[in-house]
């Protein structure tokens, strides 16, 4: 039997532990420490994120509670003010009704003595507008307004005051603009007047209606428009949208029509949230209109403004983008000065392309200068409007504009050389020859003053035999200079039609004074002829 080892005796393994095992345990402890630290940091981060989210949720809940309280307060106020607003509206209606009945009675008794005749000033204009509003004469109101485009500022000032006198202002406005909106009905009666754009009148009337229908107690948050009129306004908007295909789509619709449609939506408060993308396309297509930024905000496009501005910049409409940035307060995100400089740079490129275009030969310089002038004027006006002189001094722009204006003036003063076969006016003030003469073979047109009264114009019938159509001027007027050789432009009667051959004999030689024509570079000045 083997001997049993003594427990107190040290074995070889205990006295000589393995170094690899020790290193392995050390690495394991290090890994556990790192893992613990990583897990600790992770849980700490999760806790912090949860705390931040919790605070954000609490803040949103507080904001939502506050918003709910405000909404409930507004609803309560709207509910409590309905009776007062309706009472005020009814009083206005009764007052307008009485005034209208009085005007009708006077009209029937005195043959429209209540209607003012001449419109000499703002008071006369207001009186005339009120006359139509009192009688609810929408057709007469429309005709009067469209005939006063030159007094646009006065109309904008006086029209809201006159619409107050209407029994139903909203219905009156819809009837007034129905001649051209949502569909132009003038073509059915007068095709010649269909090309006359009256979008400005529609927009003006719709804008003037807003302060009239605003609730007198709570303001713009409620419009005093009857449900039937509001429903009619919605039908009109849908009719206009349905007619877009006939107009060629959104890309081809006219800007005045777009402006009228968008103003119609804002005026009657019938903007639809589901049509926001549709409104966005219309706004971008007509962004150059001055009122378009405000309309865009009223249409609920405030959140989409950065995208709209970016698209305008990509389209090369930097100037329009500047107006939009100032309207919504995005000047820091879209600085105006770089946009204006880019706009001028694009305008110069466009002017250079016009100069290089062979299709514009002859007037390319004029078109290019006009393009650059327009861009300079627009940028200078924008700088002055938004007070950007410190960031973008306009002095150099004004100097460049003066140079272009000077070149344009000098070109106008330069004499224009016209070929001999073109119609010209005589240097001594002679009249222009009749246009018919250019269509008659062998027609001779002199550049001298008109012949005596007993000589017929070449545009009339044949002359009597032996009578020259144009007589030589007296020698006492033109001097005794020997006549020039026969003109090579006098046509022989062989080329004329049978009925006209011999009817227009060649004119007798004429004498020409040397001093007036000596500066034209030729030995003798030859008169102009029609071919």
């Amino acid at each position: 039997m083997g001997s049993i080892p003594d427990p107190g005796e040290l074995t070889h393994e205990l006295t000589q532990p393995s170094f690899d095992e020790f290193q392995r345990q050390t690495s394991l402890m290090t890994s556990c420490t790192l893992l613990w630290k990583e897990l600790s940091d992770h849980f700490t981060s999760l806790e912090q994120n949860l705390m931040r989210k919790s605070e954000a949720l609490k803040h949103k809940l507080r904001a939502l509670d506050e918003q709910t309280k405000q909404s409930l307060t507004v609803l309560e106020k709207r509910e409590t003010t309905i009776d007062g607003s309706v009472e005020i509206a009814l009083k206005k209606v009764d007052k307008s009704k009485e005034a209208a009945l009085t005007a009708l009675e006077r009209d029937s008794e005195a043959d429209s003595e209540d209607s003012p005749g001449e419109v000499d000033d703002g008071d006369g204009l207001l009186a005339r507008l009120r006359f139509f509003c009192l009688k609810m004469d929408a057709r007469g109101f429309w005709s009067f307004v469209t005939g006063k485009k030159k007094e646009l500022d006065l109309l904008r000032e006086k029209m809201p005051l006159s619409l107050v006198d209407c029994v139903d202002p909203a219905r009156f406005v819809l009837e007034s603009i129905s001649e051209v909106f949502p569909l132009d009905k003038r073509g059915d009666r007068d095709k010649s007047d269909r090309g006359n754009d009256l979008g400005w009148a529609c927009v003006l009337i719709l804008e003037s209606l807003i302060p009239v229908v605003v609730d007198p107690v709570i303001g713009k948050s409620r419009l005093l428009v009857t449900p039937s009129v509001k429903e009619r306004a919605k039908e009109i908007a849908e009719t206009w949208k349905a007619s877009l295909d006939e107009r060629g789509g959104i890309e081809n619709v006219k800007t005045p029509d777009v402006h009228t449609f968008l103003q119609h939506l804002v005026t009657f408060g019938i903007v639809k949230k589901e049509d926001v993308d549709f409104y966005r396309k219309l706004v971008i297509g007509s962004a150059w209109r001055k009122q378009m930024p405000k309309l865009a905000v009223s249409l609920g496009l405030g959140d989409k403004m950065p995208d709209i501005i970016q698209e305008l910049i990509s389209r090369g409409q930097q100037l329009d983008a500047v107006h939009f940035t100032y309207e919504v307060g995005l000047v820091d995100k879209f600085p105006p000065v770089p946009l204006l400089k880019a706009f001028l740079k694009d305008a110069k490129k466009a002017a250079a392309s016009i100069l290089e275009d062979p299709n514009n030969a002859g007037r390319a310089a004029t078109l290019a200068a006009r393009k650059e002038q327009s861009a300079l004027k627009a940028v200078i006006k924008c700088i002055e409007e938004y007070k950007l002189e410190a960031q973008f001094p306009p002095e150099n722009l004004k100097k460049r504009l003066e140079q272009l204006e000077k070149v344009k003036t000098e070109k106008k003063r330069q004499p224009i050389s016209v070929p001999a076969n073109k119609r010209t006016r005589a240097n001594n003030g002679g009249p222009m020859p009749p246009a018919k003469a250019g269509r008659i073979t062998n027609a001779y047109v002199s550049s001298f003053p008109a012949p005596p009264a007993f000589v017929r114009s070449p545009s009339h019938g044949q002359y009597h035999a032996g009578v020259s159509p144009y007589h030589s001027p007296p020698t006492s007027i033109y001097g005794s200079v020997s006549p020039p050789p026969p003109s090579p432009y006098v046509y022989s009667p062989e080329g004329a039609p049978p009925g006209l051959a011999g009817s227009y004999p060649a004119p007798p030689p004429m004498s020409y004074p040397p001093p007036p024509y000596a500066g034209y570079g030729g030995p003798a000045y030859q008169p102009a002829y029609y071919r």
Side-chain angles (χ1 to χ4, degrees):
M1 294 179 59
S3 62
I4 300 173
D6 189 359
E9 188 177 338
L10 295 176
T11 61
H12 181 72
E13 289 79 5
L14 292 176
T15 57
Q16 295 182 357
S18 172
F19 181 77
D20 294 337
E21 180 66 20
F22 175 76
Q23 206 170 22
R24 185 182 66 80
Q25 292 181 359
T26 303
S27 301
L28 182 61
M29 290 295 295
T30 304
S31 300
C32 290
T33 304
L34 293 175
L35 182 60
W36 173 261
K37 187 176 184 306
E38 183 179 353
L39 290 173
S40 177
D41 293 342
H42 176 67
F43 282 110
T44 303
S45 176
L46 288 177
E47 186 178 3
Q48 292 176 353
N49 288 336
L50 287 174
M51 291 293 293
R52 283 196 297 267
K53 290 181 178 180
S54 177
E55 289 296 328
L57 285 175
K58 290 180 181 179
H59 178 73
K60 288 183 178 180
L61 287 173
R62 286 195 297 267
L64 184 60
D65 291 340
E66 186 67 24
Q67 186 178 1
T68 303
K69 290 180 181 179
Q70 291 179 357
S71 300
L72 290 174
T73 303
V74 170
L75 288 174
E76 184 179 357
K77 184 178 180 181
R78 287 171 65 89
E79 184 177 359
T80 56
T81 57
I82 286 177
D83 294 337
S85 299
V86 170
E87 185 178 354
I88 294 173
L90 288 176
K91 287 181 179 179
K92 287 184 178 180
V93 170
D94 292 338
K95 184 178 178 181
S96 301
K97 181 179 177 181
E98 292 176 1
L101 291 174
T102 304
L104 289 174
E105 291 176 359
R106 291 178 181 176
D107 188 23
S108 59
E109 293 176 359
D111 192 19
S112 188
E113 290 182 359
D114 187 53
S115 172
E118 298 295 332
V119 180
D120 297 328
D121 52 11
D123 295 336
L125 182 67
L126 178 59
R128 187 67 176 170
L129 291 172
R130 277 180 168 169
F131 171 76
F132 293 114
C133 292
L134 284 171
K135 295 180 65 177
M136 290 292 286
D137 184 3
R139 184 63 58 84
F141 179 83
W142 172 258
S143 300
F144 178 76
V145 171
T146 54
K148 295 292 181 180
K149 188 174 183 180
K150 293 182 179 179
E151 303 176 26
L152 189 59
D153 293 334
L154 269 179
L155 284 174
R156 184 174 286 109
E157 176 186 354
K158 303 298 182 182
M159 192 174 292
L161 302 177
S162 64
L163 289 176
V164 175
D165 296 331
C166 291
V167 176
D168 191 347
R171 185 181 298 276
F172 179 77
V173 166
L174 287 181
E175 293 175 356
S176 297
I177 65 177
S178 62
E179 183 77 3
V180 295
F181 183 80
L183 301 175
D184 196 338
K185 303 174 183 177
R186 292 174 295 169
D188 300 337
R189 297 187 300 272
D190 187 5
K191 294 183 179 180
S192 62
D193 189 48
R194 193 174 179 89
N196 184 19
D197 172 40
L198 297 177
W200 65 270
C202 295
V203 173
L204 174 63
I205 295 173
L206 289 169
E207 287 178 343
S208 301
L209 178 63
I210 294 178
V212 179
V213 297
V214 163
D215 191 289
V217 179
I218 63 175
K220 295 181 179 180
S221 60
R222 181 167 61 198
L223 301 178
L224 297 180
V225 180
T226 60
S228 59
V229 173
K230 196 166 187 177
E231 192 63 30
R232 174 60 182 154
K234 291 180 181 179
E235 293 175 1
I236 290 174
E238 293 300 323
T239 302
W240 189 89
K241 287 172 60 179
S243 67
L244 276 181
D245 293 336
E246 299 178 3
R247 302 167 187 258
I250 296 178
E251 296 78 10
N252 297 318
V253 66
K254 296 180 180 179
T255 297
D257 295 341
V258 172
H259 194 173
T260 303
F261 171 70
L262 297 180
Q263 186 63 55
H264 173 80
L265 298 177
V266 173
T267 298
F268 289 96
I270 53 176
V271 177
K272 293 183 177 180
K273 292 183 179 180
E274 58 268 23
D275 288 343
V276 170
D277 291 334
F278 173 67
Y279 303 152
R280 178 180 179 275
K281 293 178 181 179
L282 293 177
V283 167
I284 291 177
S286 303
W288 56 271
R289 282 268 173 151
K290 184 179 180 181
Q291 301 95 328
M292 205 53 64
K294 292 183 180 297
L295 276 179
V297 175
S298 300
L299 291 167
L301 297 176
D303 296 337
K304 296 182 179 294
M305 275 298 178
D307 295 335
I308 292 176
I309 294 172
Q310 192 62 51
E311 185 168 350
L312 290 175
I313 295 172
S314 64
R315 285 167 164 248
Q317 298 176 241
Q318 296 92 341
L319 193 64
D320 301 328
V322 171
H323 295 306
F324 276 79
T325 56
Y326 274 95
E327 181 62 32
V328 295
L330 293 176
V331 180
D332 295 336
K333 187 174 182 179
F334 300 96
V337 173
L339 294 177
L340 294 178
K341 291 182 178 180
F343 178 75
L344 288 175
K345 186 177 180 181
D346 291 346
K348 289 182 179 180
K349 290 182 180 179
S353 64
I354 292 174
L355 289 173
E356 297 173 358
D357 189 356
N359 297 326
N360 293 324
R363 60 193 192 105
T366 303
L367 294 176
R370 189 180 302 171
K371 176 71 176 178
E372 189 174 355
Q373 281 177 314
S374 177
L376 289 170
K377 290 178 180 178
V379 171
I380 292 173
K381 184 178 179 181
C382 188
I383 292 173
E384 295 174 351
E385 181 178 357
Y386 298 116
K387 311 298 181 184
L388 298 172
E389 290 84 358
Q391 305 176 44
F392 193 1
E395 285 74 18
N396 293 334
L397 303 181
K398 292 180 179 179
K399 289 180 181 179
R400 176 57 180 164
L401 185 60
E402 291 176 0
Q403 291 176 356
L404 294 173
E405 294 286 351
K406 186 177 180 181
V407 171
K408 181 179 178 181
T409 305
E410 291 177 352
K411 285 185 177 181
K412 287 183 177 180
R413 292 178 179 176
Q414 292 178 357
I416 302 175
S417 58
V418 182
N421 61 341
K422 299 292 183 181
R423 296 175 66 200
T424 56
R425 187 180 295 277
N427 291 337
N428 55 5
M432 289 287 287
K436 290 183 180 180
R439 298 192 294 268
I440 301 178
T441 309
N442 291 349
Y444 169 84
V445 180
S446 172
S447 59
F448 286 93
F454 58 83
V455 179
R456 295 186 179 182
S457 169
S459 61
H460 292 77
Q462 297 181 356
Y463 294 97
H464 296 288
V467 180
S468 175
Y470 295 96
H471 294 270
S472 301
T475 308
S476 59
I477 298 178
Y478 298 102
S480 59
V481 180
S482 60
S487 173
Y489 294 96
V490 178
Y491 304 126
S492 61
E494 286 77 3
L500 294 178
S503 302
Y504 294 83
M510 298 184 183
S511 299
Y512 300 85
Y517 308 108
Y520 283 86
Y525 180 82
Q526 295 181 352
Y529 293 85
Y530 267 122
R531 292 189 182 276

